[in-house]
Amino acid sequence: MKAIGFSPPPTKWKGSCQASNFTCNNKLIGAKFYPPLHNELTSKDIEASRDSRGHGTHTTSTVAGNSISMASMLGLAQGTARGGVPSARVAVYKVCWFEGCNEAGILAAFDDAIKDGVDIISVSIGGKDSTKIICFKDAL
């Protein structure tokens, strides 16, 4: 699936897409996950880079979401909503699960993001409610 208005990822991009129930495209150009130590998954976890609680999706749309006209909160304050940099490419590195975050996975995700060619890293992490590290790649 091609993201509308986006050319293929830059040639310097070296990442991969570990996708489950979604596909990467020219906007979402990479996805990886780092399972918890000792395989401490719960029945609520999705053993994949896919978001299971909405935190990663929310964080991604806040930073890189496309413009949406006629947006409002219960009909109030109608206008255009958009992320901070709608033209950004996105690579997701999931390191947190329902029972917490794997410190070794966090460090591995930073290492992988740098090797993959990520330009800007935005981290949203902490406690049992976090499910993603989101890394954003400048649109070229």
Side-chain angles (χ1 to χ4, degrees):
M1 178 176 178
K2 181 180 172 188
I4 297 170
F6 282 86
S7 60
T11 55
K12 76 174 199 162
W13 173 246
K14 305 298 182 218
S16 63
C17 183
Q18 296 174 344
S20 175
N21 294 338
F22 68 93
T23 57
C24 290
N25 54 35
N26 291 334
K27 173 80 170 173
L28 175 63
I29 61 173
K32 293 181 182 179
F33 69 98
Y34 304 81
L37 295 176
H38 314 299
N39 209 18
E40 301 161 347
L41 295 173
T42 71
S43 61
K44 297 177 184 177
D45 285 312
I46 298 171
E47 191 173 6
S49 51
R50 185 169 162 245
D51 190 359
S52 57
R53 294 187 72 171
H55 177 80
T57 303
H58 168 77
T59 304
T60 300
S61 65
T62 300
V63 176
N66 293 330
S67 293
I68 304 295
S69 61
M70 307 280 293
S72 70
M73 177 63 174
L74 302 174
L76 302 172
Q78 188 171 341
T80 300
R82 72 178 194 110
V85 186
S87 61
R89 313 282 183 131
V90 179
V92 178
Y93 299 82
K94 179 179 175 180
V95 299
C96 292
W97 307 84
F98 276 85
E99 294 301 319
C101 306
N102 172 358
E103 291 85 358
I106 293 169
L107 295 175
F110 276 109
D111 286 346
D112 286 348
I114 293 165
K115 277 192 300 186
D116 291 345
V118 168
D119 295 321
I120 299 170
I121 298 175
S122 174
V123 178
S124 182
I125 195 167
K128 291 184 179 182
D129 291 334
S130 295
T131 56
K132 298 272 187 181
I133 281 186
I134 307 297
C135 299
F136 298 95
K137 183 153 188 59
D138 282 344
L140 299 177

